[in-house]
Amino acid sequence: MKIFENIINHKINTITAEELVKYANQFNIKVNQQQARKIAEYLRGKNINIFDDTQRSKLVKEIARAAGPETAREVNKLLMQFTKQ
């Protein structure tokens, strides 16, 4: 399963705002374009492993600072969908 984790982490670390909005809509999660842009800018190049609880938690806290706590909760829901096995 490591290959799937690598693929998902690579996508997260290179995601664009448009892709983030598309995935959020697909999972009925509310993220607007401005919030998605801030989140995508933060993610780009960070090499975050969303399967690691500590790294994912830190990421959600950073998103809360950048885009607000409600958006962070919504993005966390999206990340949890990506990590379900």
Side-chain angles (χ1 to χ4, degrees):
M1 288 301 182
K2 191 72 168 168
I3 186 114
F4 293 114
E5 288 182 18
N6 289 339
I7 291 168
I8 292 169
N9 281 326
H10 176 66
K11 178 44 97 179
I12 294 295
N13 289 296
T14 60
I15 199 162
T16 65
E18 292 76 21
E19 290 170 325
L20 186 56
V21 169
K22 180 183 87 171
Y23 289 126
N25 288 337
Q26 184 177 343
F27 290 100
N28 294 323
I29 295 169
K30 297 174 185 142
V31 176
N32 68 38
Q33 189 67 32
Q34 181 182 4
Q35 293 166 328
R37 190 170 33 257
K38 286 180 182 177
I39 294 164
E41 286 173 7
Y42 176 78
L43 288 171
R44 203 164 296 119
K46 292 282 197 248
N47 207 21
I48 295 168
N49 178 1
I50 66 166
F51 293 88
D52 179 293
D53 291 338
T54 304
Q55 287 186 34
R56 189 176 58 251
S57 176
K58 182 180 175 188
L59 169 64
V60 170
K61 288 177 185 176
E62 290 297 323
I63 290 171
R65 277 184 247 184
E70 182 59 34
T71 300
R73 278 191 288 278
E74 294 294 312
V75 171
N76 190 47
K77 289 181 195 175
L78 182 57
L79 295 176
M80 295 305 292
Q81 289 293 326
F82 289 147
T83 60
K84 280 187 179 177
Q85 297 186 31

